[in-house]
Amino acid sequence: MDPSTVILILALNLIAIGGLLAMIGRRMDDAAGMRGFATGSLVFGLAYLLRLALGHASTSLAAVLPDAAMVYATLCYATGLRQFGGRPPLGQRAIAGWTLGFATLSLACTLAWQDVGRHAVLNAGLAHNYLWLSVLATLGTRRVIGTMRWPLTVLAVITGMLGLLTAVRAVAAVSLGVQPLFNGLPAQIYYGYATITTVLLGPNLLWMVFVQLNDRLARLATHDPLTGLLNRNGLDAALDRHFGSRPAQALVLCQIDIDHFKQINDSHGHAAGDAVLQGVAGTLAAHVRGGDFVARLGGEEFLVGCCGAGLAQDQALALAERLRDALAAQSHPLAGGTSLRCTVSIGVSPAIVARSGWEAALRAADAALYQAKHAGRNRVVVAAPSV
Ligand SMILES: Nc1nc2c(ncn2[C@@H]2O[C@H](COP(=O)(O)OP(=O)(O)OP(=O)(O)O)[C@@H](O)[C@H]2O)c(=O)[nH]1
């Protein structure tokens, strides 16, 4: 297949992918990076079409336009990829400055060395950006967990390979001229690989979106949006995991309730109450060990699951006292520069070693919490050790 036909197919493919991603992006917040991916694909596709219209080896200065558009498109991908990995996007000014800088250099080199100058600068610029995309995707694989690693790894490999091949083209343009870029086996290898890349890119981006949406839904279903702690669903799943392991470690539940929380809401407003809930959640999460879990049962009520081989109630009591002290010492900043403190009451269940003991342990912790409230609050009560 001649390069023009390949470029036409690539262009249409990229435009179709870009359109699809733009439609998906309209229903997602921009943190997913969809706008960057969609713009990158659309601009790349249009740049290919413009390039076809002008001719591959055009030495007309207008050829700088599609070249700059391609560089711009790769920067859009980079911004999407950064957002996808939870990092801030590239600023519009940085993207515009980079693209203009490239266009100026490309114009200067085209004026000085005609098509050799143009293609050397284009391929060097694209190679740099492809390799950068590969690095971003590789860094992304370190920041994400589980299934998301796969599409990012595929992206890192395909853009890395494309970057290397494009760098070779930049060197070839300078040392051999532009003919080998479009004719012969090396050109066929390059365009064959570019075709594979473009064909893989769309489904790979969709795979990334799918995995990310799936992760978000799973998180929404298992975590409390206000505090980020496990909700009841997440707690059930954590219990299943805990008791699914053989042999399961002992588990003690500490049920924690903020004292007179209604007064906080009434005196300082609901937003201040929410901030206190977040502050308490942060302190609880910071005080437990890996393997323990913290959940928000609802309202101002939390549950800490304390796990350990041979864990006894008195060890959980020591943790509960540490939590009570830390929370009593915590100062919650309020709007206007003031702050407030609050105390908690805690009920500690007996230790259990089987999932079947969970309901009874929760009831025991709840009854102990009730006693703590009635005994004056700001205290820990341990349930009788018989579940
Ligand atoms: N700000 C905020 N308040 C909440 C939330 N969920 C529940 N609440 C409030 O929490 C308060 C709980 O009040 P109560 O059950 O009377 O308990 P309390 O005032 O802490 O009293 P004791 O537990 O007996 O010490 C209610 O005013 C609820 O409206 C929430 O997500 N945010």
Side-chain angles (χ1 to χ4, degrees):
M1 217 187 286
D2 71 302
S4 301
T5 314
V6 175
I7 289 177
L8 181 63
I9 294 171
L10 296 187
L12 296 179
N13 194 2
L14 281 165
I15 290 170
I17 292 165
L20 186 59
L21 293 175
M23 282 195 287
I24 295 174
R26 286 178 63 181
R27 297 187 172 269
M28 292 175 74
D29 62 50
D30 201 37
M34 257 328 91
R35 198 180 300 166
F37 294 146
T39 314
S41 299
L42 285 169
V43 172
F44 219 117
L46 292 172
Y48 267 147
L49 288 184
L50 190 55
R51 195 172 166 188
L52 272 185
L54 293 171
H56 291 313
S58 164
T59 46
S60 123
L61 291 186
V64 169
L65 264 180
D67 295 357
M70 283 182 190
V71 168
Y72 175 81
T74 51
L75 295 174
C76 291
Y77 281 133
T79 208
L81 202 48
R82 281 170 65 93
Q83 284 182 287
F84 196 79
R87 296 163 61 176
L90 294 175
Q92 283 303 319
R93 276 193 188 175
I95 295 184
W98 200 319
T99 309
L100 275 177
F102 167 84
T104 311
L105 184 66
S106 175
L107 269 179
C109 291
T110 308
L111 283 173
W113 297 289
Q114 289 79 42
D115 51 356
V116 169
R118 178 196 156 198
H119 286 285
V121 172
L122 173 65
N123 284 291
L126 286 179
H128 171 273
N129 287 2
Y130 290 143
L131 290 172
W132 183 35
L133 286 176
S134 179
V135 170
L136 282 177
T138 308
L139 292 178
T141 58
R142 299 195 183 169
R143 293 170 71 103
V144 297
I145 47 162
T147 36
M148 183 61 87
R149 287 218 174 103
W150 285 104
L152 281 174
T153 306
V154 171
L155 193 64
V157 171
I158 59 178
T159 49
M161 281 281 291
L162 192 62
L164 291 176
L165 286 176
T166 313
V168 170
R169 274 167 72 85
V171 175
V174 175
S175 51
L176 306 171
V178 293
Q179 276 313 309
L181 303 190
F182 304 107
N183 299 302
L185 188 62
Q188 284 190 357
I189 292 175
Y190 178 79
Y191 281 103
Y193 184 73
T195 310
I196 294 170
T197 302
T198 314
V199 167
L200 286 180
L201 187 69
N204 196 65
L205 289 177
L206 290 177
W207 184 16
M208 284 163 61
V209 175
F210 172 77
V211 172
Q212 194 188 52
L213 277 180
N214 221 27
D215 285 355
R216 282 192 192 186
L217 282 179
R219 190 165 172 85
L220 275 179
T222 54
H223 287 76
D224 166 45
L226 179 66
T227 60
L229 297 179
L230 296 175
N231 61 16
R232 292 223 179 224
N233 282 339
L235 181 62
D236 272 345
L239 286 168
D240 287 343
R241 276 196 303 277
H242 175 77
F243 288 112
S245 62
R246 289 278 174 270
Q249 294 183 334
L251 174 71
V252 177
L253 306 177
C254 299
Q255 193 165 338
I256 300 162
D257 190 283
I258 304 176
D259 297 328
H260 300 304
F261 187 66
K262 187 171 179 317
Q263 278 176 20
I264 297 177
N265 269 338
D266 292 349
S267 318
H268 305 284
H270 207 266
D274 282 356
V276 170
L277 291 172
Q278 288 169 326
V280 168
T283 301
L284 293 177
H287 276 76
V288 300
R289 290 180 308 189
D292 292 351
F293 45 80
V294 187
R296 182 180 175 205
L297 295 180
E300 80 293 19
E301 209 167 278
F302 299 88
L303 189 84
V304 170
C306 183
C307 320
L311 179 78
Q313 227 179 351
D314 53 348
Q315 289 162 276
L317 169 62
L319 169 67
E321 286 292 4
R322 279 202 303 280
L323 292 175
R324 191 183 63 80
D325 281 345
L327 291 169
Q330 186 175 9
S331 168
H332 302 275
L334 295 174
T338 55
S339 63
L340 67 83
R341 287 175 197 270
C342 62
T343 60
V344 295
S345 301
I346 304 182
V348 179
S349 79
I352 52 169
V353 289
R355 182 78 159 93
S356 55
W358 150 254
E359 297 285 352
L362 192 59
R363 271 199 306 276
D366 197 42
L369 172 62
Y370 186 78
Q371 285 176 31
K373 290 276 181 188
H374 279 263
R377 298 181 173 80
N378 188 21
R379 68 195 58 216
V380 179
V381 171
V382 176
S386 57
V387 175

